[in-house]
Amino acid sequence: MSRLRALWQASVNATKRAVVWNSEDLFPPSERFIFNFNSKDEVKKWHLYSDSEYGGLSSASLEITDGVSGGDTSAAGVFSGNLSLDMSEGSPWRIRRSGFCGMRSKKFDGFIDLDSYDTIAMKVRGDGRCYISTIYTENWVNSPGQEEDNSWQAFVYAPRDNWRILKIPLDSYLPTWKGNVIEAKLEMNPSRVVGMSLSLNAEGGVPGAKTGPGDFRLEVDWIKAMRTL
């Protein structure tokens, strides 16, 4: 009898788990954290890049600082550095433009599914510069055999001094190839997101944003996916 009771209980527990899984699948939460910069371990999820890899002189760093006021927690990520248009003497590289830096997440373990959401939101405190938000999805736009992930980009204007929650509709992200917009009607597949990045260039961006070489600083509290519709 005890064995039958154990089998019955196991069946009940399995049914409960199935019901919970199905309900979450049918009714996902309206918000989902993608990155939360409240721990120094968060830095390990990112790697930095800049034109210095190609002979440029720009530099960037990412650190978690404590004692931050105005954020959801006392800690925040600080992406900062210096943009330079100069090239190192004797560099063998011949790049078209210098003056760029970025922080890119390491690839997720597989991918994350954002198909239930329509907006990327981030809480930031900026310096008046325009940054670029990039979403990387599994490769299906590029030619077969290419290893690069598909990239989708949108401008993020970060006003100076005050914390802001910036919301970017997913349909505002444009397909790009090596920083240039692809002139084709393509749709992102948000169910196969493999990574994200934040970057900036010394030139370009939205009207009114600070441009040119010099220091930059962007504080990031969190990045979320949201369902607003």
Side-chain angles (χ1 to χ4, degrees):
M1 187 67 179
S2 60
R3 183 179 180 184
L4 289 175
R5 182 180 293 277
L7 290 173
W8 174 81
Q9 188 62 54
S11 177
V12 170
N13 292 340
T15 301
K16 288 181 178 179
R17 287 194 297 269
V19 170
V20 171
W21 183 86
N22 287 331
S23 64
E24 291 180 351
D25 188 48
L26 291 172
F27 306 104
S30 60
E31 296 183 358
R32 173 179 177 175
F33 274 110
I34 304 176
F35 297 104
N36 196 352
F37 295 85
N38 59 359
S39 166
K40 294 187 183 299
D41 289 337
E42 193 71 19
V43 173
K44 300 175 184 178
K45 300 178 182 179
W46 300 82
H47 66 81
L48 299 166
Y49 64 91
S50 71
D51 58 34
S52 62
E53 301 173 22
Y54 308 99
L57 298 177
S58 299
S59 61
S61 67
L62 174 64
E63 59 183 358
I64 305 296
T65 59
D66 297 321
V68 175
S69 61
D72 288 358
T73 66
S74 61
V78 179
F79 173 49
S80 62
N82 183 270
L83 297 172
S84 173
L85 300 178
D86 298 327
M87 297 288 294
S88 59
E89 295 184 7
S91 171
W93 297 95
R94 293 292 182 268
I95 58 176
R96 293 182 178 179
R97 60 182 180 185
S98 56
F100 62 86
C101 293
M103 50 181 276
R104 177 170 176 170
S105 69
K106 297 177 182 178
K107 278 200 171 184
F108 302 131
D109 184 12
F111 57 88
I112 61 173
D113 184 354
L114 300 181
D115 198 36
S116 299
Y117 304 93
D118 56 73
T119 299
I120 295 296
M122 57 186 74
K123 187 171 184 178
V124 301
R125 180 161 60 183
D127 54 3
R129 287 186 180 272
C130 185
Y131 292 78
I132 302 170
S133 171
T134 304
I135 297 175
Y136 299 97
T137 57
E138 200 172 50
N139 186 332
W140 63 273
V141 173
N142 296 329
S143 301
Q146 292 183 347
E147 297 182 359
E148 293 90 346
D149 303 317
N150 297 144
S151 59
W152 309 79
Q153 297 185 321
F155 285 129
V156 178
Y157 173 59
R160 185 186 300 273
D161 298 332
N162 295 322
W163 284 100
R164 303 287 180 92
I165 295 178
L166 308 179
K167 297 179 180 180
I168 315 165
L170 286 178
D171 58 13
S172 294
Y173 284 81
L174 301 177
T176 62
W177 171 247
K178 295 185 177 180
N180 297 311
V181 175
I182 298 174
E183 298 296 338
K185 292 184 178 180
L186 302 171
E187 291 187 5
M188 180 195 301
N189 182 0
S191 67
R192 311 289 286 189
V193 175
V194 297
M196 301 183 75
S197 73
L198 284 170
S199 60
L200 76 162
N201 299 318
E203 305 297 339
V206 299
K210 178 182 177 181
T211 60
D215 294 339
F216 67 88
R217 179 184 175 91
L218 179 70
E219 295 176 74
V220 187
D221 195 347
W222 46 254
I223 301 174
K224 296 179 181 179
M226 301 180 68
R227 185 171 61 253
T228 63
L229 301 178

